[in-house]
Amino acid sequence: MLSPERLALPDYEYLAQRHVLTYMEDAVCQLLENKEDISQYGIARFFTEYFNSVCQGTHILFREFSFIQATPHNRASFLRAFWRCFRTVGKNGDLLTMREYHCLLQLLCPDFPLELTQKAARIVLMDDAMDCLMSFSDFLFAFQIQFYYSEFLESVAAIYQDLLAGKNPNTVIVPTSSSGQHRQRPTLGEASMLEGVEASLFYQCLENLCDRHKYSCPPPALVKEVLSNVQRLTFYGFLVALSKHHGINQALGALPDKGDLMHDPAMDEELERLLVQIPGLVNSATANPEASCLPSRTPPRVGSPWRPLHHARKMDAESDGSTEETDESET
């Protein structure tokens, strides 16, 4: 049965909204790159497996960054994969630095840009040093806002700077995704940054911006709710409010609520099933349960990840699976 949204849109608009052409082009490229292997079991099966992986959100694993950020579905799938793969960091209560979180991101996307991780960490750390420790939940929700809405936030930064300079908001030129990536954000040390801008005027500008960013901005009603609670606010104060807003997290739909962040019954069941198949591991953990709960000080070497056939593009980054060892400060 077709959804009301599908019935209300012409075919070409629906296909464009769902970025079907992006996935068709990617599937054909992988088909041509691996045609000798695919010919052994048929093209139809390949397309079936490819689009099943798209629906399940596993199609973004170990892919290049340009593909991971290509569609809203890809971004949401990457956020969900990062949470499911590394939520044990939060369950163990571990605190990591920005660079350590970046290493985790690179395990799923070898060319993930450091700049994006730094911006997410800045939402958490504010005026603290960038090498300070962060909890998994704080970083994850800040990263969600920064990664999913990256182009929108670059435009917000431009509007904020113009408001601080007293410019007419109606003359703000919104940067494109390519030019906006290198725009300098407001500096926390500036006096004007600490003063902030008037929230009502800021919202008027963002309301127009949301109309232009139909598929890459938080719901305007929720943005208005965030800004209606204060008279003035700073740029990073706005980002912190977005990252902690329950409604925005629900609207995005990639992550569970903060209270359920450490619970993933389906993944736990799968892990238990896999652990049972490893001889001696379950017995040793049962014999010394306290030791099994302690995080390892020396992270294990991570081998090259196995990838399904439609992920079979070779990447130089996978040839070296070692992880950088970092020192932990004693408290």
Side-chain angles (χ1 to χ4, degrees), residues 303-331:
S304 298
W306 176 87
R307 302 168 65 197
L309 184 56
H310 53 272
H311 292 157
R313 292 181 178 177
K314 295 181 179 179
M315 297 179 291
D316 294 338
E318 291 186 7
S319 61
D320 183 5
S322 60
T323 58
E324 183 181 355
E325 186 173 324
T326 58
D327 295 330
E328 297 182 7
S329 60
E330 297 293 341
T331 57

Side-chain angles (χ1 to χ4, degrees), residues 23-33 46-47 50:
Y23 297 118
M24 285 298 301
E25 290 177 347
D26 183 64
V28 170
C29 287
Q30 294 198 39
L31 176 64
L32 295 176
E33 290 181 5
F46 165 77
F47 278 104
Y50 177 88

Side-chain angles (χ1 to χ4, degrees), residues 125-183:
L125 300 175
M126 299 291 283
D127 54 351
D128 291 332
M130 289 296 287
D131 59 351
C132 289
L133 299 174
M134 295 174 282
S135 71
F136 180 73
S137 60
D138 286 346
F139 176 80
L140 181 62
F141 284 110
F143 175 70
Q144 173 178 236
I145 294 298
Q146 178 59 60
F147 175 60
Y148 193 88
Y149 297 126
S150 58
E151 293 85 1
F152 171 74
L153 296 186
E154 292 296 340
S155 301
V156 172
I159 290 174
Y160 183 87
Q161 287 179 308
D162 287 340
L163 288 176
L164 287 178
K167 296 182 180 179
N168 187 341
N170 294 327
T171 63
V172 171
I173 300 177
V174 179
T176 62
S177 59
S178 58
S179 63
Q181 292 176 353
H182 303 290
R183 178 181 288 271

Side-chain angles (χ1 to χ4, degrees), residues 196-209:
V197 299
E198 184 181 346
S200 59
L201 180 59
F202 193 39
Y203 173 70
Q204 292 176 12
C205 301
L206 298 190
E207 188 177 24
N208 295 329
L209 179 63

Side-chain angles (χ1 to χ4, degrees), residues 280-295:
L281 182 59
V282 176
N283 292 335
S284 62
T286 304
N288 192 359
E290 293 183 359
S292 64
C293 296
L294 294 175

Side-chain angles (χ1 to χ4, degrees), residues 50-331:
Y50 177 88
F51 282 100
N52 280 339
S53 71
V54 172
C55 292
Q56 295 167 4
T58 58
H59 64 300
I60 47 78
L61 293 174
F62 318 119
R63 293 296 303 270
E64 62 278 8
F65 180 74
S66 60
F67 179 75
I68 286 175
Q69 70 164 354
T71 71
H73 175 66
N74 286 8
R75 297 187 188 197
S77 298
F78 185 78
L79 287 167
R80 192 175 300 111
F82 181 76
W83 161 62
R84 298 191 74 187
C85 288
F86 303 115
R87 67 190 175 89
T88 52
V89 172
K91 291 182 69 173
N92 293 339
D94 295 337
L95 302 178
L96 302 181
T97 65
M98 179 275 297
R99 289 196 173 274
E100 288 171 329
Y101 281 115
H102 185 66
C103 289
L104 297 182
L105 289 167
Q106 287 186 310
L107 291 178
L108 301 181
C109 174
D111 65 336
F112 197 90
L114 177 63
E115 180 186 9
L116 205 54
T117 314
Q118 291 173 330
K119 289 179 177 180
R122 179 58 66 197
I123 298 175
V124 179
L125 300 175
M126 299 291 283
D127 54 351
D128 291 332
M130 289 296 287
D131 59 351
C132 289
L133 299 174
M134 295 174 282
S135 71
F136 180 73
S137 60
D138 286 346
F139 176 80
L140 181 62
F141 284 110
F143 175 70
Q144 173 178 236
I145 294 298
Q146 178 59 60
F147 175 60
Y148 193 88
Y149 297 126
S150 58
E151 293 85 1
F152 171 74
L153 296 186
E154 292 296 340
S155 301
V156 172
I159 290 174
Y160 183 87
Q161 287 179 308
D162 287 340
L163 288 176
L164 287 178
K167 296 182 180 179
N168 187 341
N170 294 327
T171 63
V172 171
I173 300 177
V174 179
T176 62
S177 59
S178 58
S179 63
Q181 292 176 353
H182 303 290
R183 178 181 288 271
Q184 184 68 34
R185 280 190 174 177
T187 303
L188 284 169
E190 298 175 354
S192 57
M193 182 65 187
L194 297 176
E195 296 173 0
V197 299
E198 184 181 346
S200 59
L201 180 59
F202 193 39
Y203 173 70
Q204 292 176 12
C205 301
L206 298 190
E207 188 177 24
N208 295 329
L209 179 63
C210 289
D211 291 338
R212 295 191 294 269
H213 285 258
K214 293 184 182 297
Y215 306 114
S216 60
C217 72
L222 298 182
V223 174
K224 182 178 182 180
E225 181 180 321
V226 168
L227 295 176
S228 64
N229 295 325
V230 294
Q231 292 184 345
R232 301 183 67 84
L233 82 168
T234 63
F235 176 70
Y236 281 104
F238 175 65
L239 299 191
V240 170
L242 291 181
S243 67
K244 295 183 177 181
H245 196 282
H246 174 73
I248 290 177
N249 180 59
Q250 281 194 325
L252 201 153
L255 302 176
D257 296 335
K258 188 172 183 178
D260 299 325
L261 198 62
M262 305 311 163
H263 303 289
D264 187 1
M267 178 64 78
D268 289 338
E269 183 178 347
E270 180 66 15
L271 288 175
E272 289 179 5
R273 185 184 66 81
L274 294 174
L275 289 175
V276 170
Q277 300 177 11
I278 303 177
L281 182 59
V282 176
N283 292 335
S284 62
T286 304
N288 192 359
E290 293 183 359
S292 64
C293 296
L294 294 175
S296 174
R297 283 206 171 272
T298 305
R301 291 183 61 86
V302 180
S304 298
W306 176 87
R307 302 168 65 197
L309 184 56
H310 53 272
H311 292 157
R313 292 181 178 177
K314 295 181 179 179
M315 297 179 291
D316 294 338
E318 291 186 7
S319 61
D320 183 5
S322 60
T323 58
E324 183 181 355
E325 186 173 324
T326 58
D327 295 330
E328 297 182 7
S329 60
E330 297 293 341
T331 57

